[in-house]
Amino acid sequence: MAGPRRPAGTELVPAPVNRVANAVPGLAAGLGCVAYGAGAGTGWERAAAVAALLGCVALALRGYRAGVRCEAERLVVRGYLWTRVIPRAAVTGVTDLPAVRWTSPGGRRRWTPVTAFAAASGETGATRARKRDGTARLRRWAARR
């Protein structure tokens, strides 16, 4: 039996090597939790290490899945901590950060960073170009009404 279908859209994600790099903070912290749990003396300390490890796994998965999905009527921005769904009509632009500028239903001006395409020092030219391409594609989607 097939699960629910997602609306048709364009998935904008970083290169595979960047997706793995986005997961590294969660993986590194997870290794620290494992080391702490291995040396923990009480059951409570081990339980705390397991709980922290689960949070690290979630952070690693969110980092790997970070990206943007451009659909006909909405934009889905997946970051490290949350996923923001923005109606297409509310999008007012895309900044160089990159971030999506949009207006809430109450009229408040907001912005949501796209962490998947944020530039970092020491990146290769190919990586930077792929991120710029993702941001450019996001801008073209936002410009089409």
Side-chain angles (χ1 to χ4, degrees), residues 56-76:
C56 292
V57 168
L59 181 66
L61 291 173
R62 298 275 315 171
Y64 184 80
R65 293 194 66 234
V68 178
R69 183 167 182 79
C70 302
E71 299 174 358
E73 298 299 321
R74 67 185 188 160
L75 181 69
V76 180

PDB file of all heavy atoms in Angstrom, residues 56-76:
ATOM      1  N   CYS A  56      20.563  13.975  19.165  1.00  0.00           N
ATOM      2  CA  CYS A  56      21.672  14.127  18.209  1.00  0.00           C
ATOM      3  C   CYS A  56      21.358  13.430  16.889  1.00  0.00           C
ATOM      4  O   CYS A  56      21.678  13.944  15.811  1.00  0.00           O
ATOM      5  CB  CYS A  56      22.967  13.579  18.807  1.00  0.00           C
ATOM      6  SG  CYS A  56      23.582  14.563  20.178  1.00  0.00           S
ATOM      7  N   VAL A  57      20.733  12.268  16.976  1.00  0.00           N
ATOM      8  CA  VAL A  57      20.338  11.546  15.761  1.00  0.00           C
ATOM      9  C   VAL A  57      19.321  12.378  14.977  1.00  0.00           C
ATOM     10  O   VAL A  57      19.421  12.511  13.748  1.00  0.00           O
ATOM     11  CB  VAL A  57      19.769  10.148  16.103  1.00  0.00           C
ATOM     12  CG1 VAL A  57      19.091   9.518  14.908  1.00  0.00           C
ATOM     13  CG2 VAL A  57      20.882   9.247  16.625  1.00  0.00           C
ATOM     14  N   ALA A  58      18.358  12.955  15.686  1.00  0.00           N
ATOM     15  CA  ALA A  58      17.372  13.810  15.021  1.00  0.00           C
ATOM     16  C   ALA A  58      18.049  15.002  14.354  1.00  0.00           C
ATOM     17  O   ALA A  58      17.730  15.363  13.216  1.00  0.00           O
ATOM     18  CB  ALA A  58      16.318  14.278  16.024  1.00  0.00           C
ATOM     19  N   LEU A  59      19.015  15.617  15.037  1.00  0.00           N
ATOM     20  CA  LEU A  59      19.747  16.757  14.472  1.00  0.00           C
ATOM     21  C   LEU A  59      20.530  16.340  13.226  1.00  0.00           C
ATOM     22  O   LEU A  59      20.539  17.060  12.220  1.00  0.00           O
ATOM     23  CB  LEU A  59      20.688  17.343  15.519  1.00  0.00           C
ATOM     24  CG  LEU A  59      21.503  18.559  15.090  1.00  0.00           C
ATOM     25  CD1 LEU A  59      20.584  19.738  14.826  1.00  0.00           C
ATOM     26  CD2 LEU A  59      22.518  18.905  16.158  1.00  0.00           C
ATOM     27  N   ALA A  60      21.157  15.175  13.257  1.00  0.00           N
ATOM     28  CA  ALA A  60      21.911  14.690  12.097  1.00  0.00           C
ATOM     29  C   ALA A  60      20.980  14.437  10.913  1.00  0.00           C
ATOM     30  O   ALA A  60      21.294  14.806   9.774  1.00  0.00           O
ATOM     31  CB  ALA A  60      22.680  13.419  12.452  1.00  0.00           C
ATOM     32  N   LEU A  61      19.840  13.830  11.165  1.00  0.00           N
ATOM     33  CA  LEU A  61      18.886  13.570  10.080  1.00  0.00           C
ATOM     34  C   LEU A  61      18.330  14.868   9.512  1.00  0.00           C
ATOM     35  O   LEU A  61      18.187  15.008   8.297  1.00  0.00           O
ATOM     36  CB  LEU A  61      17.747  12.675  10.572  1.00  0.00           C
ATOM     37  CG  LEU A  61      18.132  11.234  10.880  1.00  0.00           C
ATOM     38  CD1 LEU A  61      16.963  10.491  11.510  1.00  0.00           C
ATOM     39  CD2 LEU A  61      18.608  10.531   9.619  1.00  0.00           C
ATOM     40  N   ARG A  62      18.001  15.813  10.390  1.00  0.00           N
ATOM     41  CA  ARG A  62      17.485  17.106   9.915  1.00  0.00           C
ATOM     42  C   ARG A  62      18.546  17.832   9.086  1.00  0.00           C
ATOM     43  O   ARG A  62      18.232  18.449   8.077  1.00  0.00           O
ATOM     44  CB  ARG A  62      17.060  17.976  11.096  1.00  0.00           C
ATOM     45  CG  ARG A  62      15.957  17.421  11.954  1.00  0.00           C
ATOM     46  CD  ARG A  62      14.591  17.675  11.509  1.00  0.00           C
ATOM     47  NE  ARG A  62      14.348  19.028  11.090  1.00  0.00           N
ATOM     48  CZ  ARG A  62      13.225  19.377  10.493  1.00  0.00           C
ATOM     49  NH1 ARG A  62      12.284  18.494  10.306  1.00  0.00           N
ATOM     50  NH2 ARG A  62      13.037  20.599  10.087  1.00  0.00           N
ATOM     51  N   GLY A  63      19.807  17.759   9.522  1.00  0.00           N
ATOM     52  CA  GLY A  63      20.880  18.393   8.758  1.00  0.00           C
ATOM     53  C   GLY A  63      21.033  17.765   7.391  1.00  0.00           C
ATOM     54  O   GLY A  63      21.218  18.466   6.389  1.00  0.00           O
ATOM     55  N   TYR A  64      20.927  16.447   7.324  1.00  0.00           N
ATOM     56  CA  TYR A  64      21.049  15.755   6.037  1.00  0.00           C
ATOM     57  C   TYR A  64      19.886  16.114   5.115  1.00  0.00           C
ATOM     58  O   TYR A  64      20.070  16.263   3.913  1.00  0.00           O
ATOM     59  CB  TYR A  64      21.106  14.241   6.247  1.00  0.00           C
ATOM     60  CG  TYR A  64      21.318  13.481   4.968  1.00  0.00           C
ATOM     61  CD1 TYR A  64      22.588  13.375   4.417  1.00  0.00           C
ATOM     62  CD2 TYR A  64      20.254  12.920   4.296  1.00  0.00           C
ATOM     63  CE1 TYR A  64      22.795  12.704   3.229  1.00  0.00           C
ATOM     64  CE2 TYR A  64      20.450  12.242   3.099  1.00  0.00           C
ATOM     65  CZ  TYR A  64      21.722  12.137   2.577  1.00  0.00           C
ATOM     66  OH  TYR A  64      21.911  11.481   1.382  1.00  0.00           O
ATOM     67  N   ARG A  65      18.691  16.266   5.665  1.00  0.00           N
ATOM     68  CA  ARG A  65      17.504  16.522   4.856  1.00  0.00           C
ATOM     69  C   ARG A  65      17.260  18.007   4.590  1.00  0.00           C
ATOM     70  O   ARG A  65      16.282  18.360   3.922  1.00  0.00           O
ATOM     71  CB  ARG A  65      16.279  15.932   5.541  1.00  0.00           C
ATOM     72  CG  ARG A  65      16.313  14.424   5.592  1.00  0.00           C
ATOM     73  CD  ARG A  65      14.978  13.830   5.954  1.00  0.00           C
ATOM     74  NE  ARG A  65      14.013  14.099   4.905  1.00  0.00           N
ATOM     75  CZ  ARG A  65      12.836  14.680   5.121  1.00  0.00           C
ATOM     76  NH1 ARG A  65      12.474  15.054   6.308  1.00  0.00           N
ATOM     77  NH2 ARG A  65      12.004  14.882   4.100  1.00  0.00           N
ATOM     78  N   ALA A  66      18.108  18.900   5.096  1.00  0.00           N
ATOM     79  CA  ALA A  66      17.901  20.337   4.917  1.00  0.00           C
ATOM     80  C   ALA A  66      17.800  20.674   3.443  1.00  0.00           C
ATOM     81  O   ALA A  66      18.561  20.180   2.614  1.00  0.00           O
ATOM     82  CB  ALA A  66      19.044  21.123   5.563  1.00  0.00           C
ATOM     83  N   GLY A  67      16.842  21.508   3.106  1.00  0.00           N
ATOM     84  CA  GLY A  67      16.643  21.902   1.721  1.00  0.00           C
ATOM     85  C   GLY A  67      15.319  22.631   1.555  1.00  0.00           C
ATOM     86  O   GLY A  67      14.688  23.049   2.522  1.00  0.00           O
ATOM     87  N   VAL A  68      14.900  22.743   0.308  1.00  0.00           N
ATOM     88  CA  VAL A  68      13.685  23.472  -0.034  1.00  0.00           C
ATOM     89  C   VAL A  68      12.895  22.651  -1.043  1.00  0.00           C
ATOM     90  O   VAL A  68      13.474  22.035  -1.941  1.00  0.00           O
ATOM     91  CB  VAL A  68      14.033  24.846  -0.656  1.00  0.00           C
ATOM     92  CG1 VAL A  68      12.795  25.600  -1.065  1.00  0.00           C
ATOM     93  CG2 VAL A  68      14.866  25.672   0.288  1.00  0.00           C
ATOM     94  N   ARG A  69      11.586  22.658  -0.888  1.00  0.00           N
ATOM     95  CA  ARG A  69      10.696  22.040  -1.871  1.00  0.00           C
ATOM     96  C   ARG A  69       9.782  23.131  -2.407  1.00  0.00           C
ATOM     97  O   ARG A  69       9.010  23.730  -1.660  1.00  0.00           O
ATOM     98  CB  ARG A  69       9.890  20.913  -1.252  1.00  0.00           C
ATOM     99  CG  ARG A  69       9.016  20.226  -2.259  1.00  0.00           C
ATOM    100  CD  ARG A  69       8.458  18.918  -1.708  1.00  0.00           C
ATOM    101  NE  ARG A  69       7.673  18.251  -2.693  1.00  0.00           N
ATOM    102  CZ  ARG A  69       8.142  17.538  -3.704  1.00  0.00           C
ATOM    103  NH1 ARG A  69       9.442  17.407  -3.841  1.00  0.00           N
ATOM    104  NH2 ARG A  69       7.362  16.966  -4.573  1.00  0.00           N
ATOM    105  N   CYS A  70       9.891  23.392  -3.707  1.00  0.00           N
ATOM    106  CA  CYS A  70       9.081  24.416  -4.357  1.00  0.00           C
ATOM    107  C   CYS A  70       7.885  23.726  -5.018  1.00  0.00           C
ATOM    108  O   CYS A  70       8.045  22.995  -5.992  1.00  0.00           O
ATOM    109  CB  CYS A  70       9.891  25.147  -5.425  1.00  0.00           C
ATOM    110  SG  CYS A  70      11.390  25.925  -4.814  1.00  0.00           S
ATOM    111  N   GLU A  71       6.707  23.958  -4.476  1.00  0.00           N
ATOM    112  CA  GLU A  71       5.487  23.372  -5.014  1.00  0.00           C
ATOM    113  C   GLU A  71       4.676  24.468  -5.694  1.00  0.00           C
ATOM    114  O   GLU A  71       5.025  25.642  -5.622  1.00  0.00           O
ATOM    115  CB  GLU A  71       4.688  22.701  -3.899  1.00  0.00           C
ATOM    116  CG  GLU A  71       5.460  21.570  -3.241  1.00  0.00           C
ATOM    117  CD  GLU A  71       4.744  20.979  -2.042  1.00  0.00           C
ATOM    118  OE1 GLU A  71       3.652  21.477  -1.679  1.00  0.00           O
ATOM    119  OE2 GLU A  71       5.291  20.030  -1.463  1.00  0.00           O
ATOM    120  N   ALA A  72       3.585  24.093  -6.338  1.00  0.00           N
ATOM    121  CA  ALA A  72       2.778  25.063  -7.073  1.00  0.00           C
ATOM    122  C   ALA A  72       2.229  26.168  -6.168  1.00  0.00           C
ATOM    123  O   ALA A  72       2.278  27.340  -6.524  1.00  0.00           O
ATOM    124  CB  ALA A  72       1.630  24.354  -7.789  1.00  0.00           C
ATOM    125  N   GLU A  73       1.725  25.808  -5.002  1.00  0.00           N
ATOM    126  CA  GLU A  73       1.060  26.784  -4.148  1.00  0.00           C
ATOM    127  C   GLU A  73       1.770  27.080  -2.835  1.00  0.00           C
ATOM    128  O   GLU A  73       1.275  27.862  -2.030  1.00  0.00           O
ATOM    129  CB  GLU A  73      -0.367  26.310  -3.842  1.00  0.00           C
ATOM    130  CG  GLU A  73      -1.243  26.188  -5.073  1.00  0.00           C
ATOM    131  CD  GLU A  73      -1.414  27.521  -5.808  1.00  0.00           C
ATOM    132  OE1 GLU A  73      -1.544  28.562  -5.133  1.00  0.00           O
ATOM    133  OE2 GLU A  73      -1.390  27.515  -7.043  1.00  0.00           O
ATOM    134  N   ARG A  74       2.906  26.414  -2.593  1.00  0.00           N
ATOM    135  CA  ARG A  74       3.594  26.640  -1.321  1.00  0.00           C
ATOM    136  C   ARG A  74       5.076  26.322  -1.440  1.00  0.00           C
ATOM    137  O   ARG A  74       5.513  25.658  -2.378  1.00  0.00           O
ATOM    138  CB  ARG A  74       2.964  25.823  -0.208  1.00  0.00           C
ATOM    139  CG  ARG A  74       3.160  24.338  -0.393  1.00  0.00           C
ATOM    140  CD  ARG A  74       2.439  23.541   0.656  1.00  0.00           C
ATOM    141  NE  ARG A  74       2.822  22.137   0.553  1.00  0.00           N
ATOM    142  CZ  ARG A  74       2.670  21.271   1.514  1.00  0.00           C
ATOM    143  NH1 ARG A  74       2.137  21.627   2.655  1.00  0.00           N
ATOM    144  NH2 ARG A  74       3.047  20.023   1.345  1.00  0.00           N
ATOM    145  N   LEU A  75       5.807  26.796  -0.444  1.00  0.00           N
ATOM    146  CA  LEU A  75       7.237  26.549  -0.334  1.00  0.00           C
ATOM    147  C   LEU A  75       7.468  25.853   0.998  1.00  0.00           C
ATOM    148  O   LEU A  75       6.954  26.289   2.027  1.00  0.00           O
ATOM    149  CB  LEU A  75       7.989  27.885  -0.370  1.00  0.00           C
ATOM    150  CG  LEU A  75       9.502  27.828  -0.287  1.00  0.00           C
ATOM    151  CD1 LEU A  75      10.066  27.230  -1.567  1.00  0.00           C
ATOM    152  CD2 LEU A  75      10.063  29.225  -0.078  1.00  0.00           C
ATOM    153  N   VAL A  76       8.222  24.755   0.985  1.00  0.00           N
ATOM    154  CA  VAL A  76       8.524  24.014   2.206  1.00  0.00           C
ATOM    155  C   VAL A  76      10.030  24.138   2.452  1.00  0.00           C
ATOM    156  O   VAL A  76      10.822  23.658   1.645  1.00  0.00           O
ATOM    157  CB  VAL A  76       8.110  22.529   2.080  1.00  0.00           C
ATOM    158  CG1 VAL A  76       8.434  21.783   3.364  1.00  0.00           C
ATOM    159  CG2 VAL A  76       6.636  22.413   1.730  1.00  0.00           C
TER     160      VAL A  76
END
